[in-house]
């Protein structure tokens, strides 16, 4: 690997690291208002929903609204398992198992 690529990779790593490090460095010793903490707690859930919902309720090219997706049928029982067990591992296994079972039964 040439030195130009090493500089490029190191620069990309630095550009990715600095925006994550700066807030952590400056805010780790300060007490944030409870409202801000609650708002920040919602960000991961919002990102996950933004990634999953279009996949679950749209189909085809161009994308059209479709509530008959087999993935959506598997997502609801998986959500119930997540709410019931509060376990990431069991939720993941249940979702994968139901997805596999849906494929075996011919839904896909």
């Amino acid at each position: 690997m040439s030195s130009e690529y090493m500089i490029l990779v190191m620069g990309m790593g630095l550009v990715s690291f600095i925006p994550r490090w700066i807030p952590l460095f400056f805010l780790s010793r300060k007490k944030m208002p409870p409202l801000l903490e609650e708002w920040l707690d919602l960000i991961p859930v919002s990102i996950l929903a933004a990634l999953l919902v279009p996949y679950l309720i749209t189909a085809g090219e161009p994308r059209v609204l479709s509530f008959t997706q087999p993935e959506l049928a598997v997502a609801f029982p998986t959500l119930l398992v997540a709410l019931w067990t509060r376990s990431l591992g069991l939720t993941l296994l249940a979702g994968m198992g139901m997805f596999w079972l849906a494929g075996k039964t011919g839904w896909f």
Side-chain angles (χ1 to χ4, degrees), residues 53-95:
V53 170
Y55 173 73
L56 292 174
I57 65 169
T58 60
E61 285 297 325
R63 304 298 282 179
V64 294
L65 194 61
S66 170
F67 291 105
T68 60
Q69 295 279 89
E71 292 88 352
L72 185 60
V74 170
F76 281 118
T78 303
L79 176 65
L80 293 176
V81 169
L83 293 174
W84 183 53
T85 65
R86 303 277 185 202
S87 167
L88 179 61
L90 286 176
T91 302
L92 184 64
L93 288 174

Side-chain angles (χ1 to χ4, degrees), residues 13-96:
L14 192 63
V15 166
S16 178
F17 176 75
I18 287 177
R20 291 173 172 88
W21 176 79
I22 289 175
L24 182 66
F25 179 76
F26 288 109
L27 296 176
S28 64
R29 295 183 196 105
K30 295 184 180 187
K31 180 70 177 149
M32 291 187 286
L35 184 63
L36 180 61
E37 284 185 19
E38 288 178 31
W39 182 79
L40 289 172
D41 282 342
L42 296 175
I43 290 175
V45 175
S46 302
I47 292 171
L48 183 62
L51 292 171
L52 283 178
V53 170
Y55 173 73
L56 292 174
I57 65 169
T58 60
E61 285 297 325
R63 304 298 282 179
V64 294
L65 194 61
S66 170
F67 291 105
T68 60
Q69 295 279 89
E71 292 88 352
L72 185 60
V74 170
F76 281 118
T78 303
L79 176 65
L80 293 176
V81 169
L83 293 174
W84 183 53
T85 65
R86 303 277 185 202
S87 167
L88 179 61
L90 286 176
T91 302
L92 184 64
L93 288 174
M96 289 172 48

